[in-house]
Amino acid sequence: MTAVRGTSVDVPTPDGTADAYVTYPDDGRPHPAVLFYMDAFGPRPHLRKMADRLAEAGYTVMVPNVFYRHGRAPVVELPDFIGPSQSPGIFEQLRPIMRSLTPDLAMRDAEAYLNWLAACPQATDGPVGITGYCMGAGLALRTAGTYPERVAAAAGFHGGNLATEAPDSPHLVADRITAELYFGHADQDRSLPAEQIDRLDKALTAAGVRHRTEVYSGAHHGYTQSDTAAYNPEAAERHWTALLDLLGRAL
């Protein structure tokens, strides 16, 4: 197993300072960069473990706290395990914070994250990969369309509201994407019904975007998150296979 080194960093943005976790192989060499977009619960021990696993595969990984305007992570108090009884109360606190991160603010931040990775001595030159979870899947999609020359691959897992009828729906950036995309949807996910999956696929196909979409049978929203009740070990490992395959081709 490759030894990795993880550290907390502060990333300057136009609106302040975003706290982030950065991890990379501890071998003294630069590696391809991956921007890791958090789920709604934000940076915490489980996400750091996921980032470390990516680093073990040979990548320099950044996990920014996209809610940094509301404080350093965790922006709300989280238990070690987020079960069905805790989730409603946590989301009651998180919803206004999530709504406050508009697409314009998120993409302004994305440029700061990409700039930080471009200057990072542990990262190789060239386009990055992105992976995103829950709300992070939408951020990954938007970033690929907003900064096409800087993104070689983007993946989203159990993402919600990716292709709504709203005028600022994430899927509407499809015609600007040059990266290869992968999506691993959960078939038990009420935040991404079948009609949205179909709308997303049609938009990507019409735009000529190289992409693959899979629906994971029996998986719920959050299936990659082992510190939540939604965790599905089989689906989580399937996600790792797909993600590493995508990054291995593109970076």
Side-chain angles (χ1 to χ4, degrees):
M1 183 178 295
T2 302
V4 301
R5 177 173 295 185
T7 186
S8 296
V9 302
D10 287 336
V11 180
T13 79
D15 298 324
T17 301
D19 50 307
Y21 178 70
V22 174
T23 181
Y24 47 85
D26 192 16
D27 58 8
R29 297 186 291 113
H31 294 269
V34 176
L35 175 57
F36 183 125
Y37 276 127
M38 58 185 241
D39 64 349
F41 297 130
R44 58 196 190 279
H46 169 65
L47 287 197
R48 290 193 286 272
K49 289 179 182 177
M50 290 182 69
D52 286 344
R53 180 165 173 175
L54 259 185
E56 288 171 359
Y59 300 98
T60 292
V61 185
M62 172 200 276
V63 188
N65 170 23
V66 304
F67 294 154
Y68 71 88
R69 292 175 181 83
H70 300 269
R72 300 180 75 86
V75 295
V76 302
E77 186 175 349
L78 298 173
D80 292 336
F81 183 81
I82 303 167
S85 62
Q86 292 97 349
S87 288
I90 294 171
F91 272 108
E92 186 176 349
Q93 299 174 72
L94 287 175
R95 282 191 190 95
I97 297 173
M98 294 169 68
R99 285 195 294 267
S100 72
L101 185 65
T102 65
D104 285 346
L105 289 179
M107 291 304 96
R108 194 157 74 202
D109 293 340
E111 184 175 23
Y113 306 147
L114 293 171
N115 288 344
W116 194 96
L117 284 169
C120 176
Q122 288 81 29
T124 55
D125 294 333
V128 308
I130 305 178
T131 186
Y133 303 85
C134 177
M135 59 170 283
L139 294 177
L141 179 58
R142 286 192 194 278
T143 304
T146 305
Y147 303 101
E149 73 286 354
R150 306 185 71 171
V151 180
F157 300 94
H158 48 81
N161 300 312
L162 296 178
T164 70
E165 296 181 344
D168 61 354
S169 176
H171 79 288
L172 296 177
V173 303
D175 61 347
R176 289 172 266 160
I177 293 173
T178 58
E180 181 179 354
L181 305 187
Y182 175 88
F183 290 96
H185 305 306
D187 74 339
Q188 304 297 309
D189 192 344
R190 289 178 294 178
S191 69
L192 195 76
E195 58 267 25
Q196 286 199 42
I197 295 175
D198 182 61
R199 186 180 294 133
L200 175 61
D201 275 341
K202 286 179 176 176
L204 294 173
T205 299
V209 178
R210 293 166 297 155
H211 72 283
R212 183 179 180 188
T213 295
E214 294 186 310
V215 179
Y216 294 13
S217 179
H220 292 263
H221 184 81
Y223 63 77
T224 61
Q225 306 300 303
S226 65
D227 60 349
T228 75
Y231 181 59
N232 182 313
E234 182 179 351
E237 285 306 309
R238 182 176 174 182
H239 128 271
W240 281 115
T241 299
L243 175 60
L244 293 174
D245 182 59
L246 173 69
L247 297 177
R249 284 196 308 273
L251 299 183

